[in-house]
Structure formats: C-alpha cells, structure tokens
Amino acid sequence: MRQATRRPIREIRRLALDVKRLWRVWVKSDTAHYNKIFIAGCARSGTTLTQRLMRCFEDTFVHRAEAKHTQLDMLDRPEANLVVKRTERGHVHLAKLPSAVGLIYCVRHPFDVLTSSHPESRGERRFHVTPERWLAEYSALLRLRKAQPGRVITYVRYEDMIAQSDAVQERIARAFGLKPRIRFSEDPSNPIRPTSLKKWERNEEFRTYLHTLPPTFLARLKEFCDEFGYDMPDWVRG
C-alpha cells in the first residue's frame, strides 16, 4: 500500500514545483529580480569548492543540493543572489542554459580529474571520472559556446583556487556584482588542500593508467589544455 502511494505523491510534488516555477516566471517576474548563477564543470574540477566559496558573499543564497538550472526559477528567497550547482548529468542540458543565468565553469588539469577518486564510486571503479564522462563534459561546453557565442563565461581554474582563492573570489565578485562577506581563505570550512595538485606526476600507478588512454582522446585533452593553460608531458605532445 505504501509503495502504491509513493508515485502519486512524487507526481504531485513535481507538479507543485512546476506550478511554482511558472508562477515565478510569468506572474512574479516583474517584481522579483534575482542575480541567478549556475556552477558547472566536470566532476572533480572544483565545482563543490566553488559552491562553498559562493557562500562567502553577502546577500547570497547557495542551494546546497545539486540541481538542474531550472531550480533557480523555483527558489523564493529574500537574498538577491541565487546560486545552484549542476547535477551529475547537468552537462546534457548545458547548451540550453537561459541567457539570463550567469555561468561559472570550473576547469582542472584533466590528468588530475581522470586520476581522482570519490567515495561514491570507489567501490565501483578506481577513478571517479571516466574518459567518456570527461569527453561528454567538454563536448557540452563546446556545444554551449556554439549555441550561445555571445555568452560571457566566468572560468575558474581549480589550480588558481588552490593557490589564490581570494583573487578568484574577487574576480567572481566583479563578474557578478557581489560583495564578499568573508574572505574564502579565512572561512573555517575552507577545504583547500594543495596536496591534491598533480598527484599523477608523483604516482606511478596514475601515470601507467594515463599511458593507456587512446591517442584520439589524448588529442582532445591537449586541445583543452592548450586553451586553459595547462602543460602536457612530452609523451603526449610528441
């Protein structure tokens, strides 16, 4: 009996959220103006770190759970700035991100991304991000830029966040007209760990795995690295 009622309850909740979203877009759009910001990027590229940084701004609500960008239309908050971080499959709909929504896109050296583990997937596979997932994320970014050539994207490099978190915070503040409440470097919950950088250079297992990646895939990695200022080892460049 309990299971029989679960689906109708879920459908009712989903309908209620849809009605609320439409009400905010159609009825209240002229009275409630929010600065909407969406955080995207491949897993293990600093999206969670950036989400935590956004909590250091004044008058800003950061939605704790991962969600679709449409969640920004459903939030009814007193804060002027709303922030949502993408879901695991957020890249699928990235090219349809409304122009009114600002975008922070997180990037990291792909070798660090591809050799990073995660508690959620550790029992299933050695590394959290598969080559297929990384390629899907990068392809989604390219589709977005093709679909919206005039869009301004605020890129956040994971490495810059680790080395100069306050400078990154200031750059985000300028991009979206935000006012820092506290420096991210002074935030007691700041999880920055410099040891997370370039583990693949110090770990033979990681390097062995990277050598097994197909040349065509490595070529896409190099394209990404060339754009975002990452060095590649000689065996890839050659």
Side-chain angles (χ1 to χ4, degrees):
M1 182 67 179
R2 184 180 299 174
Q3 289 187 355
T5 60
R6 284 179 179 174
R7 184 171 181 179
I9 291 175
R10 286 198 302 268
E11 293 299 327
I12 291 173
R13 288 175 177 171
R14 184 179 296 111
L15 178 61
L17 288 174
D18 288 342
V19 170
K20 183 176 181 180
R21 178 173 64 85
L22 292 174
W23 175 74
R24 287 205 42 77
V25 172
W26 294 342
V27 178
K28 205 176 176 185
S29 60
D30 58 340
T31 60
H33 297 285
Y34 291 119
N35 187 15
K36 301 176 183 179
I37 303 170
F38 190 62
I39 300 173
C42 188
R44 315 309 289 166
S45 293
T47 54
T48 300
L49 194 61
T50 302
Q51 182 187 44
R52 293 188 182 186
L53 181 149
M54 299 304 289
R55 298 174 190 167
C56 295
F57 290 113
E58 291 184 358
D59 202 16
T60 299
F61 173 76
V62 180
H63 190 63
R64 289 186 176 273
E66 295 181 352
K68 297 179 180 179
H69 65 77
T70 52
Q71 181 68 40
L72 289 162
D73 292 330
M74 300 183 220
L75 297 175
D76 188 7
R77 300 287 309 182
E79 296 87 352
N81 310 292
L82 306 178
V83 181
V84 166
K85 174 192 165 186
R86 58 99 184 101
T87 62
E88 181 180 355
R89 291 186 54 79
H91 60 279
V92 175
H93 307 290
L94 185 63
K96 297 181 180 179
L97 186 68
S99 58
V101 176
L103 177 61
I104 297 175
Y105 197 90
C106 302
V107 298
R108 184 183 184 184
H109 195 297
F111 280 5
D112 275 328
V113 173
L114 292 165
T115 55
S116 180
S117 60
H118 193 281
E120 292 182 359
S121 59
R122 195 166 291 157
E124 303 174 14
R125 55 187 180 273
R126 178 66 178 88
F127 303 120
H128 183 63
V129 177
T130 64
E132 292 77 15
R133 168 71 185 278
W134 187 93
L135 187 59
E137 293 277 4
Y138 184 41
S139 298
L141 174 62
L142 296 180
R143 287 196 302 272
L144 169 69
R145 296 195 303 204
K146 183 178 180 180
Q148 303 180 29
R151 171 180 281 280
V152 176
I153 302 176
T154 301
Y155 292 103
V156 171
R157 295 192 352 147
Y158 180 89
E159 294 77 7
D160 295 339
M161 182 78 82
I162 297 298
Q164 299 178 316
S165 61
D166 291 341
V168 172
Q169 183 180 8
E170 291 173 6
R171 185 160 57 85
I172 292 175
R174 290 194 301 271
F176 298 100
L178 305 177
K179 184 177 180 180
R181 174 180 56 82
I182 183 177
R183 287 180 177 272
F184 191 38
S185 62
E186 300 172 356
D187 183 355
S189 64
N190 184 331
I192 288 179
R193 290 184 287 272
T195 56
S196 62
L197 299 178
K198 293 190 174 182
K199 285 185 177 181
W200 57 274
E201 288 188 342
R202 307 185 298 271
N203 190 302
E204 184 177 354
E205 177 195 357
F206 292 178
R207 294 195 305 273
T208 299
Y209 167 69
L210 293 170
H211 273 84
T212 67
L213 298 175
T216 53
F217 178 65
L218 289 172
R220 298 303 301 276
L221 296 185
K222 185 177 184 304
E223 175 186 333
F224 177 93
C225 289
D226 288 345
E227 175 176 357
F228 293 105
Y230 293 120
D231 293 330
M232 295 291 274
D234 293 338
W235 60 268
V236 174
R237 291 199 301 268

